[in-house]
Amino acid sequence: MNTKKQAHKLTNEELKKLQKVELELLVEFDRICRKHNIIYSIDGGTLLGAVRHGGFIPWDDDADVVMVRKEYEKFLSVVDQELDTDKFYLQDLNRTPGYRWGYAKLRRENTDFIRLNQEHMPYKQGIFLDIFICDNVPDNYILRCLCNFHSFIYRKIFYSEVGKYACSGISKLIYKVLSLIPEKTVKNRYNKYVRFRNRKSTELVKCLTFPACNPVYGYKRKWYEETIDIEFEGVTLRGCCDYDEYLKFLYGDYMELPPVEKRKVHPVSKITFPDDY
């Protein structure tokens, strides 16, 4: 039986500590990518924070990077030799039993960041950096819509291990049924789907199992392949060369602060930090 826990609201001190750990993760990721000429960009609120605030958005509790599939495969080919495993570990679908997200996470050892309703998931949940992996999607809009629907189905199957606890009513029942699909089966099928999507290059790409933020269902490849140095919290990372176009696509008038009620954070049930923090 799963006992639901209450969300823990981060204090200002905890938020600052969290961002300090996330900066460590960003610096380690950037170090490996630069050493091996791997192309990536800080993404989402992390890129927005770099442009608008020179670092973290003051209330932001996560950090994101993004790269196309071929660059992620290059990263995988060197990460086990390069990663400082005394402090960090990498999780993704094929490396981590029980992991059910279509993007990877670089995590900090000796920490906890346990998302609400994910307490039962069978892998370590340290403070993390999301590594979004973009695959090719059709340039034809109708075919891209079909691709988005196909990806939506995979996303729901993967999420079912959380949804059967987090949701209620008919959604809970549907997730319970979807969770009966063996993990090995769905991962094998998804890996074949990824290979199918990447059989030829396209102008548009997308993190397949992450919801699209708009009805285009795709993002320009150049946003993730053409990058520049960008300052973030006093360190130099890589970011989209045409960040103005990209951020307008994501957020509209991105320089305007959102109202307080729209400043979203991740619900967490447990958080701990390294002993020296």
Side-chain angles (χ1 to χ4, degrees):
M1 174 183 250
N2 183 62
T3 303
K4 283 201 172 187
K5 297 195 175 185
Q6 296 296 313
H8 170 73
K9 185 176 180 180
L10 296 179
T11 65
N12 288 335
E13 181 183 3
E14 286 174 329
L15 181 57
K16 288 178 181 178
K17 287 183 179 181
L18 175 61
Q19 291 175 347
K20 183 178 178 181
V21 176
E22 289 167 348
L23 185 60
E24 272 191 287
L25 290 159
L26 285 162
V27 169
E28 176 70 356
F29 181 80
D30 176 81
R31 179 187 68 79
I32 296 173
C33 289
R34 285 182 188 271
K35 181 175 179 179
H36 294 277
N37 298 311
I38 297 169
I39 301 170
Y40 82 94
S41 172
I42 54 175
D43 194 38
T46 308
L47 179 62
L48 174 58
V51 174
R52 194 171 67 193
H53 303 274
F56 285 104
I57 296 172
W59 58 88
D60 205 1
D61 62 355
D62 73 349
D64 305 318
V65 296
V66 62
M67 59 209 318
V68 297
R69 177 67 61 175
K70 67 177 182 178
E71 299 300 318
Y72 181 65
E73 290 175 350
K74 287 167 62 177
F75 179 75
L76 284 181
S77 72
V78 300
V79 68
D80 290 325
Q81 302 92 272
E82 291 289 347
L83 191 66
D84 179 358
T85 54
D86 288 335
K87 296 178 72 174
F88 308 105
Y89 58 101
L90 180 71
Q91 296 177 332
D92 76 5
L93 273 176
N94 298 313
R95 297 169 62 95
T96 310
Y99 187 90
R100 300 177 69 89
W101 315 111
Y103 46 94
K105 290 181 183 287
L106 183 64
R107 294 193 190 260
R108 181 63 156 82
E109 290 281 10
N110 303 312
T111 68
D112 294 292
F113 189 92
I114 301 180
R115 295 282 300 274
L116 193 64
N117 299 313
Q118 295 184 27
E119 296 83 4
H120 63 288
M121 299 301 276
Y123 50 81
K124 292 197 299 183
Q125 296 183 59
I127 294 172
F128 61 91
L129 166 68
D130 278 328
I131 305 172
F132 292 110
I133 309 152
C134 285
D135 295 296
N136 299 334
V137 295
D139 291 323
N140 177 276
Y141 181 70
I142 300 300
L143 294 178
R144 197 161 65 251
C145 289
L146 292 174
C147 169
N148 188 68
F149 178 73
H150 199 175
S151 300
F152 169 83
I153 298 300
Y154 275 112
R155 183 168 77 249
K156 293 304 180 182
I157 295 172
F158 284 135
Y159 182 73
S160 62
E161 277 297 326
V162 176
K164 68 182 182 181
Y165 296 120
C167 298
S168 59
I170 188 65
S171 294
K172 184 181 185 74
L173 177 60
I174 292 171
Y175 283 129
K176 279 187 174 182
V177 173
L178 292 177
S179 71
L180 297 175
I181 302 173
E183 178 183 348
K184 183 177 179 180
T185 299
V186 67
K187 287 185 175 181
N188 285 342
R189 290 294 297 271
Y190 182 71
N191 284 331
K192 289 180 181 178
Y193 177 57
V194 167
R195 290 194 294 271
F196 173 76
R197 290 265 61 95
N198 289 287
R199 69 196 188 283
K200 65 178 183 178
S201 183
T202 55
E203 291 294 321
L204 299 179
V205 297
K206 181 181 179 294
C207 181
L208 294 175
T209 58
F210 197 79
C213 67
N214 55 72
V216 176
Y217 304 136
Y219 305 82
K220 293 180 182 179
R221 175 185 298 277
K222 71 171 188 174
W223 287 335
Y224 310 124
E225 292 189 333
E226 299 175 10
T227 62
I228 57 172
D229 282 344
I230 190 165
E231 293 301 305
F232 186 91
E233 296 292 343
V235 302
T236 302
L237 303 174
R238 298 294 288 177
C240 173
C241 183
D242 197 352
Y243 59 79
D244 182 64
E245 179 187 44
Y246 181 49
L247 290 174
K248 283 178 179 175
F249 182 80
L250 290 181
Y251 303 113
D253 183 6
Y254 61 86
M255 295 302 289
E256 182 178 348
L257 293 177
V260 173
E261 64 271 15
K262 291 188 177 181
R263 299 176 184 181
K264 296 181 180 179
V265 296
H266 295 90
V268 58
S269 63
K270 181 181 179 181
I271 186 166
T272 63
F273 300 96
D275 293 337
D276 57 346
Y277 271 58

